[in-house]
Amino acid sequence: MSYDDVEIEDMEWSDELQAYTYPCPCGDLFQITRDELRTGEEIARCPSCSLYITVIYNAEDFQEQMSTIQKDSTGIPVVV
């Protein structure tokens, strides 16, 4: 069972972790990446304990972002 249900708007984006984060009671952070959200994942896990939360978000918001990513001539993904 999920520790809590959390709206994506209540989470913070971490450039360092490249993930959305939310404080865990253990002192660490629940984490979920944009790639995980794009694939429909809704569980953010804490790397330091066994707790996890369910992230409430609109999957279409993250699928639309995929359409703005293209590859340059060397095959490296770039955001357009």
Side-chain angles (χ1 to χ4, degrees):
M1 185 203 269
S2 178
Y3 170 72
D4 200 0
D5 294 344
V6 178
E7 299 273 344
I8 191 77
E9 293 84 8
D10 295 330
M11 299 181 78
E12 290 187 27
W13 175 255
S14 168
D15 285 327
E16 181 181 332
L17 298 172
Q18 290 295 296
Y20 287 94
T21 63
Y22 190 79
C24 180
C26 79
D28 205 344
L29 297 169
F30 295 106
Q31 303 173 23
I32 191 165
T33 67
R34 286 183 178 145
D35 286 340
E36 290 172 324
L37 294 167
R38 284 184 191 120
T39 62
E41 180 62 65
E42 59 183 25
I43 300 299
R45 292 175 170 74
C46 176
S48 297
C49 71
S50 62
L51 293 178
Y52 61 91
I53 57 174
T54 301
V55 180
I56 309 300
Y57 71 103
N58 183 348
E60 292 175 1
D61 292 344
F62 291 90
Q63 290 173 352
E64 289 174 8
Q65 289 181 7
M66 289 271 305
S67 64
T68 62
I69 297 176
Q70 299 176 359
K71 293 186 179 182
D72 67 11
S73 59
T74 62
I76 297 173
V78 292
V79 176
V80 201

